[in-house]
Amino acid sequence: MDLGWLPSLGFYILGILIIGLTFRMHLRKANSSSQEKLANLLQEEQNARFVRASELKTELFIQVDFLAYPSVTHKACAKKYQELMSYAKRPMMNLQKFSNLELKQTYGPQVLEKIAAYEKNYFGFMDISIQYGEILYENNYLLEARKTLEQCIRYHCDISKCYILLIKIYKAQNDVTALNHIKTVIEKEMGHSPLLHKVLQML
């Protein structure tokens, strides 16, 4: 019987064992690294609980130029405009670039509830701004709709509807320069949105 194939089989089995051992070592290292990161995170969270409350920096608040929002005499548009203006006295923050841990480490856990309320104001303001832009657009106030929605961009809006409406307006106005510019803005502000590709397809 020819047993010449045995050495090849032996090398094959040895190779499988080596691959298995290597994978096991990498898995252990990965698990160790993950456990270490989790332990560090938990420690940071624990330390953040004892950070004293400090005053919120002025630059965190969004200073909205409400005079930049156009008003029209159309009844439905005017009603939505008044809703928009109701945000003029509400403090607003856009904190999407910060994690809760970072905020607690900087300002203390005591201020999180207040910060959350300010951020809620911001999201409400973005929603009503887009609604106002949409109703202006639907009633053929293209220039006013454009000004309104471009204000949303000024305050770093990442809502797809804002950009979809603006693209429609720019196309209706044959504004190629604006269409070229908004592509860069969309990629910047909606970079992490699952709707990014859908919006870019409209250009």
Side-chain angles (χ1 to χ4, degrees):
M1 182 183 292
D2 184 10
L3 299 178
W5 52 270
L6 279 176
S8 298
L9 178 62
F11 283 122
Y12 175 76
I13 293 172
L14 181 62
I16 294 294
L17 287 172
I18 291 172
I19 291 172
L21 289 171
T22 303
F23 176 75
R24 191 174 178 182
M25 287 174 63
H26 281 300
L27 191 61
R28 283 182 177 176
K29 285 182 180 179
N31 286 338
S32 176
S33 177
S34 297
Q35 289 174 0
E36 186 178 346
K37 286 179 181 178
L38 178 59
N40 289 337
L41 180 61
L42 291 174
Q43 185 60 53
E44 288 179 348
E45 285 282 358
Q46 178 69 14
N47 294 340
R49 289 178 58 192
F50 301 101
V51 174
R52 288 186 177 183
S54 60
E55 193 171 335
L56 296 169
K57 293 180 180 178
T58 306
E59 53 263 35
L60 285 176
F61 292 91
I62 297 172
Q63 306 300 325
V64 178
D65 179 11
F66 282 91
L67 295 176
Y69 288 83
S71 62
V72 298
T73 56
H74 186 280
K75 189 175 179 179
C77 296
K79 183 179 178 181
K80 191 62 68 175
Y81 176 79
Q82 289 304 317
E83 289 180 43
L84 176 65
M85 289 299 110
S86 71
Y87 280 83
K89 296 181 180 179
R90 302 185 195 184
M92 291 181 274
M93 290 181 176
N94 179 5
L95 301 170
Q96 296 178 75
K97 294 181 180 179
F98 302 92
S99 67
N100 277 350
L101 176 58
E102 288 172 326
L103 291 169
K104 284 189 284 187
Q105 289 173 329
T106 306
Y107 301 105
Q110 304 89 339
V111 300
L112 279 187
E113 188 174 341
K114 185 186 293 185
I115 286 175
Y118 296 160
E119 189 169 39
K120 184 179 179 181
N121 287 342
Y122 166 77
F123 289 126
F125 172 63
M126 284 294 103
D127 284 340
I128 201 71
S129 295
I130 294 168
Q131 289 174 31
Y132 183 50
E134 183 176 28
I135 198 169
L136 287 168
Y137 171 75
E138 289 172 348
N139 286 281
N140 270 335
Y141 292 101
L142 293 190
L143 181 59
E144 291 81 0
R146 173 173 176 163
K147 286 181 178 178
T148 297
L149 295 166
E150 286 177 343
Q151 284 298 305
C152 293
I153 294 176
R154 180 178 178 183
Y155 304 115
H156 303 289
C157 178
D158 64 351
I159 301 172
S160 61
K161 193 170 188 178
C162 172
Y163 296 100
I164 289 171
L165 284 169
L166 271 174
I167 290 169
K168 288 179 179 179
I169 292 169
Y170 293 158
K171 285 184 175 181
Q173 296 175 331
N174 293 314
D175 194 334
V176 178
T177 302
L179 284 168
N180 290 335
H181 174 68
I182 202 172
K183 181 177 184 294
T184 305
V185 178
I186 291 168
E187 289 172 339
K188 178 184 177 184
E189 302 296 350
M190 292 187 63
H192 300 292
S193 172
L195 298 174
L196 173 64
H197 183 64
K198 178 185 175 181
V199 176
L200 288 176
Q201 279 184 322
M202 295 191 63
L203 289 169

